[in-house]
Amino acid sequence: MPFVFDINVLIEVVLEKNHYSATQTLLSQLQNKGEELWLPPAGLAYASSILPTTQSHEKFSQLLQLFSTLPYSAKEQQALYQQSPQNYYQQLLYQATLNYLPHAIIITANPMTSTTDNIKIQTPTTALKQLTSPTDFHPNQFDFIDLKTQQRQCLPEIEYQIHQVLKHGQYILGKEMQQLEQQLATFTQVEYALTCASGTDALIMALMALDIGKGDEVITTSFSFIATAEVIAFVGAKPVFIDIDANTYNLQANAIEQAITPNTKAIIAVSLYGQCADFHVINDMAKKHNLAVIEDAAQSFGATYHQKPSCGLTTIACTSFFPAKPFGCYGDGGACFTNDEALYKAMQAIRVHGQSQRYSHDRFGINGRFDTLQAGILLAKWTLFVQQEIPNRQRLAEYYNQALQNTVTIPYIAPENTSVYAQYTIQCPQRDSLQTHLQQQGIPTAVHYPIALHQQPVFQHLNTATLPIAEQLSQQVISLPMHPYLTKKQQDNVINAILQFFA
Ligand SMILES: Cc1ncc(COP(=O)(O)O)c(C=O)c1O
C-alpha cells in the first residue's frame, strides 16, 4: 500500500516537534512491512530552505532515502499553481497523489476536508492506530498483470534513465542500448546480443540472417502465439507444424525427425509459458540433419535449462520485451542472441535495412531498430527483475501449485528446467465455465491459446494432419493472474474461487 507523506511531517521528525514521535514509529512500522513511501514533488526545495542546521540537513537526507518522489510534470504543477496559488502545496500533495496513486494514504498534520476519491487522508497518529487494527488497508484491485505496482518499485531509476536519454538526445540505438546489449549477453552467457524493435522482428531477423525463404521449410510447434509461425510465412518459407509434449506443452522433440524433408532448413522451438523446450534433444536432431535451431524465447527470458540460461542454447534465440512479458519495456522491443559472429553481423545489418555502411545496402533488411528510451526502461528494471521478480514468480507459482494440485492439472516443470512463469497456466476440461465463474468473481484470466496454429484460418491451406495434443490443450488451458507483485490475499481469492467451482 502506498503512503504519501506531507513534507511538513518529515520536517517535524527532523526538528523533533509536534507529531514527530508518532511519525517516527509509523515510518519504522511501514518500513518493516515493506510498504511504499512517497513524497510529493517540489517539497525538497521547501524543506531545504527552512531546515536550520547542517545536522538537520544530514538527518533529512537520511530520511529521504526511504522515499520515492511522485511524478508530476512541471506543466501540471504550473496549472495547479495558477488555479490555487494560496493553497498550492496542499493541492499539489493531493493532486499528485490522485494522479499516480489513486488508492494511497496521505499522512499529514493538517488533514484536508474529506474527499470522494479513494485516497485516505490521516494524521500520523490515526494511521498508526489503523496499522495495528485488523482493518485492511489494501483495496481489492485485481490486474491480470500489474505493471503499475512494478513501476512504483523502480520509478526513480526509470525517471533517471529517461532524463539521461532526453539529455543526450540519441533516441535510436543510443548508448543505453549498447549497455543493455552487453548486460543481455553477459546474463545469457552468449557472445552477442542484439536488441530490436519487437520479438516478431527478432524472429524475422533470425530467419533472414539464416537465409531462409521461398522453398524452405521450418519445423515448429502448433501451440504458440501466432508470431512464431507467421514469421516463417512472412519470409516466404513454409511452416511445418508438429505436436507438443503433453506435460510441458513444448514442441515434441522426438516428433521432429519424421517432419524433416530435403527442404527443411530450421526448427523454431518455443519455450512456452517461461519453460525451455528440450534443447539437448532438439539440437542433436538438428546437428544430425544440418539444421539451424531458433529458440523463440519471447516468454522465457530469465529461465534456465540444465542450469544454462534461456537464449543461450541454440543457433539464435529471440526474445520479446513487450510490456506484459517477464522482462518488459514500455512499448515494443525484442532481442536476438547468438554465439555466431557471422550471424550477428548479418542481423546487425538486417536491423537497419541491410546496411553495412551508411547508405550502402548489401542485402535486404527491415527497420528493426530499438528505441534508446526503451533500453533505458529495461536498464532501470534490470536489478529488480533479476534479484526479486524471477524468484517472486517462482514462489507465487509454488503457492498456486500447493493449493491447486489436487483439483486441476498444474504446470509441469521438467527437472532440468527453472521456469520464469510468463504465464501460470492450468488445464481442466471445464475451462470455459471455469473462466466464466472466475470472471463473475472479478478474477481476470486469459487463454493462451484458444486455437492451435495449424487450425488458424491463415494456415488452413497447409492441410496439416490432426495434432491431437495441441488441439485438446487449446480447449482446456487457462492462465491465472501471474505477476511478481500478486499479494497472498489476491492469490487466495483466485484459489478459493477455483476450489469453490470444483466443490
Ligand atoms: C511465443 C511468442 N513469440 C513471439 C512473440 C512476439 O513478440 P512481440 O509481441 O514482441 O512481437 C510473442 C509475444 O507475444 C510470443 O509470446
Side-chain angles (χ1 to χ4, degrees), residues 198-200 203 224-225 227-228 270 296 298-299 320 322 325 332-333 449:
S198 69
T200 307
L203 289 165
S224 179
F225 181 61
T228 307
V270 179
D296 180 342
Q299 305 182 7
S320 164
F322 181 76
K325 293 287 185 262
D332 277 308
Y449 296 91

Side-chain angles (χ1 to χ4, degrees), residues 214-373:
K214 201 155 185 274
D216 296 333
E217 292 178 7
V218 177
I219 296 171
T220 193
T221 166
S222 185
F223 196 56
S224 179
F225 181 61
I226 185 76
T228 307
E230 181 189 37
V231 293
I232 301 170
F234 182 80
V235 297
K238 176 181 167 192
V240 176
F241 293 109
I242 61 172
D243 212 346
I244 50 172
D245 179 89
N247 295 314
T248 63
Y249 309 166
N250 280 327
L251 184 137
Q252 237 177 52
N254 55 17
I256 294 173
E257 195 150 34
Q258 64 214 53
I260 294 175
T261 74
N263 296 329
T264 309
K265 289 281 154 44
I267 302 164
I268 300 185
V270 179
S271 296
L272 197 74
Y273 302 153
Q275 164 173 228
C276 288
D278 196 352
F279 284 109
H280 284 175
V281 183
I282 296 169
N283 287 340
D284 284 351
M285 187 61 62
K287 201 167 167 194
K288 188 169 153 198
H289 295 274
N290 197 23
L291 307 175
V293 179
I294 298 173
E295 181 189 14
D296 180 342
Q299 305 182 7
S300 61
F301 182 78
T304 61
Y305 170 80
H306 288 285
Q307 279 103 46
K308 287 200 73 186
S310 168
C311 298
L313 306 164
T314 53
T315 321
I316 301 176
C318 302
T319 197
S320 164
F321 301 131
F322 181 76
K325 293 287 185 262
F327 191 45
C329 59
Y330 286 169
D332 277 308
C336 298
F337 303 80
T338 188
N339 286 316
D340 183 318
E341 190 183 1
L343 287 175
Y344 168 68
K345 289 203 162 138
M347 291 191 288
Q348 209 174 24
I350 291 166
R351 181 170 69 175
V352 279
H353 305 284
Q355 177 174 278
S356 52
Q357 290 170 34
R358 200 165 171 82
Y359 300 131
S360 168
H361 304 268
D362 301 339
R363 56 187 310 151
F364 289 120
I366 58 173
N367 172 4
R369 296 170 308 217
F370 192 46
D371 290 1
T372 314
L373 278 168

Side-chain angles (χ1 to χ4, degrees), residues 370-436:
F370 192 46
D371 290 1
T372 314
L373 278 168
Q374 299 302 345
I377 305 287
L378 289 175
L379 288 177
K381 288 188 179 188
W382 184 274
T383 310
L384 196 63
F385 173 69
V386 174
Q387 291 183 2
Q388 290 181 35
E389 295 189 347
I390 298 176
N392 269 1
R393 284 176 179 276
Q394 291 164 346
R395 177 180 54 76
L396 293 164
E398 190 49 37
Y399 190 70
Y400 272 144
N401 286 346
Q402 292 303 324
L404 297 174
Q405 58 190 344
N406 298 324
T407 309
V408 292
T409 307
I410 58 169
Y412 168 79
I413 306 301
E416 65 273 19
N417 279 326
T418 62
S419 175
V420 74
Y421 290 99
Q423 307 297 343
Y424 183 91
T425 305
I426 58 169
Q427 187 192 334
C428 73
Q430 311 86 330
R431 190 268 310 282
D432 291 343
S433 42
L434 174 63
Q435 186 168 40
T436 310

Side-chain angles (χ1 to χ4, degrees), residues 34 36 138 141 143-154 326 381 383-390 392-393 395-396 481-491:
E36 296 171 29
H138 295 265
Q141 257 177 324
D143 289 325
F144 186 67
I145 293 178
D146 179 357
L147 294 175
K148 288 190 201 122
T149 304
Q150 182 201 50
Q151 184 185 84
R152 299 204 298 268
Q153 314 306 307
C154 52
K381 288 188 179 188
T383 310
L384 196 63
F385 173 69
V386 174
Q387 291 183 2
Q388 290 181 35
E389 295 189 347
I390 298 176
N392 269 1
R393 284 176 179 276
R395 177 180 54 76
L396 293 164
M482 170 52 87
H483 61 77
Y485 304 98
L486 264 185
T487 64
K488 181 171 178 301
K489 188 177 165 201
Q490 289 170 328
Q491 263 197 306

